[in-house]
Amino acid sequence: MPSSGQCQFFLAKAMESSRVSVLLSKLQATEEEGESSSSSSSSASYPNLSGTPQLTQLYGSVFAECRPCSKDGAEAHARGFVQAPPLSVVLCSNRLSNEGEVEEVLLHELIHLYDLKVKNLDFAKSEDLAYSEVRAARESECKIGTFSTLSSMCGGVRDRMAKSAAIATSTANTNSSSSSSSSSSSSSSSNSYLTEFCKSRLKDCTYNAALSATSNMYPTSVARSAVSESFKKAYADMEPWGGDPSSSTNSKA
């Protein structure tokens, strides 16, 4: 396991990822809009934590902290969580093994922050928490995470599809033999099947992860109902990035 210092280093690198940086920009803009619209709000009302060891400023008044998490209470099984006051993201350095896991957990928690601060969801309502857990699981542990069911089989699907499309185009342009066309068609069919399989696995992973997370806060029957009712809409909700839920990546900007 990395030390808290190594975790901070990984955190700084994770903040450069394209999807994390978009979230941070939107959260920063929302905070600034809130300050400008409130006559009683000022930067002086926030604690000056920028020089505190093991703290990294995410945006505005919100910081992230890498530290070992407790074996007891609410932290017992967490790899990261949002706490307040002051509002901050805690990354459990004793449960994160590498840069990829730090990015995964940071992205997960920032989606929760976004849903709280920008989408105004209320996590005291099971359906709102379930909605956010679906979005967070889809983008983190089920897409780039250590526990992803897709990593080995589905990671290169889009590359293979692009290569197959290029071969098919080349074949058509050069009027290749019927046997080549048949081979290309067979390859395209196989890739199409694999793509649909990967999309299905991503949905399954997202549903199960969201159910598990929501069940930590609500009885399983309540959590299951909340996740089932919110899943379709939440899974398709790609705010603030846009695009297809099954096609995004977390590449560096």
Side-chain angles (χ1 to χ4, degrees):
M1 295 295 173
S3 65
S4 294
Q6 288 174 313
C7 176
Q8 292 292 137
F9 174 76
F10 292 150
L11 170 60
K13 296 189 69 175
M15 289 171 63
E16 298 174 2
S17 75
S18 59
R19 301 182 82 69
V20 168
S21 62
V22 168
L23 281 168
L24 292 176
S25 295
K26 294 290 186 179
L27 285 163
Q28 173 75 56
T30 298
E31 181 173 279
E32 291 173 352
E33 289 171 6
E35 290 176 353
S36 64
S37 64
S38 174
S39 59
S40 62
S41 177
S42 69
S43 58
S45 64
Y46 301 124
N48 181 12
L49 301 175
S50 59
T52 305
Q54 309 305 340
L55 289 181
T56 297
Q57 185 178 30
L58 293 175
Y59 69 91
S61 64
V62 179
F63 288 74
E65 175 186 9
C66 281
R67 64 168 173 81
C69 290
S70 171
K71 297 179 181 179
D72 304 312
E75 298 182 9
H77 303 292
R79 294 192 299 159
F81 53 91
V82 176
Q83 68 176 9
L87 188 62
S88 60
V89 173
V90 175
L91 302 177
C92 299
S93 58
N94 54 328
R95 295 174 189 148
L96 300 173
S97 300
N98 52 53
E99 180 183 343
E101 290 187 10
V102 170
E103 179 181 345
E104 172 198 336
V105 174
L106 176 64
L107 182 60
H108 186 113
E109 299 306 329
L110 285 178
I111 290 171
H112 286 325
L113 265 183
Y114 183 93
D115 289 347
L116 283 168
K117 306 293 285 185
V118 181
K119 297 176 76 68
N120 295 314
L121 297 187
D122 180 0
F123 291 174
K125 299 177 180 178
S126 61
E127 59 271 24
D128 280 10
L129 176 61
Y131 192 100
S132 187
E133 292 292 1
V134 168
R135 281 169 37 82
R138 181 199 64 212
E139 292 304 309
S140 54
E141 57 261 47
C142 289
K143 189 167 291 182
I144 62 171
T146 304
F147 304 111
S148 173
T149 58
L150 311 175
S151 57
S152 60
M153 182 173 290
C154 301
V157 166
R158 286 185 300 278
D159 289 341
R160 289 192 291 274
M161 287 293 288
K163 184 179 293 185
S164 177
I167 292 173
T169 300
S170 175
T171 300
N173 289 340
T174 58
N175 296 315
S176 295
S177 65
S178 59
S179 61
S180 295
S181 297
S182 175
S183 175
S184 176
S185 176
S186 175
S187 175
S188 177
S189 177
S190 296
N191 281 328
S192 178
Y193 173 81
L194 182 56
T195 299
E196 291 306 312
F197 171 80
C198 290
K199 288 181 178 180
S200 175
R201 294 295 290 170
L202 177 59
K203 282 189 174 182
D204 289 345
C205 176
T206 300
Y207 180 90
N208 291 329
L211 176 59
S212 177
T214 308
S215 296
N216 289 333
M217 299 296 294
Y218 293 93
T220 301
S221 59
V222 174
R224 189 180 302 279
S225 176
V227 172
S228 296
E229 290 179 9
S230 65
F231 186 82
K232 183 176 181 180
K233 183 177 180 180
Y235 188 81
D237 183 352
M238 291 297 295
E239 186 180 338
W241 311 285
D244 182 343
S246 63
S247 65
S248 62
T249 64
N250 285 274
S251 59
K252 301 296 180 185

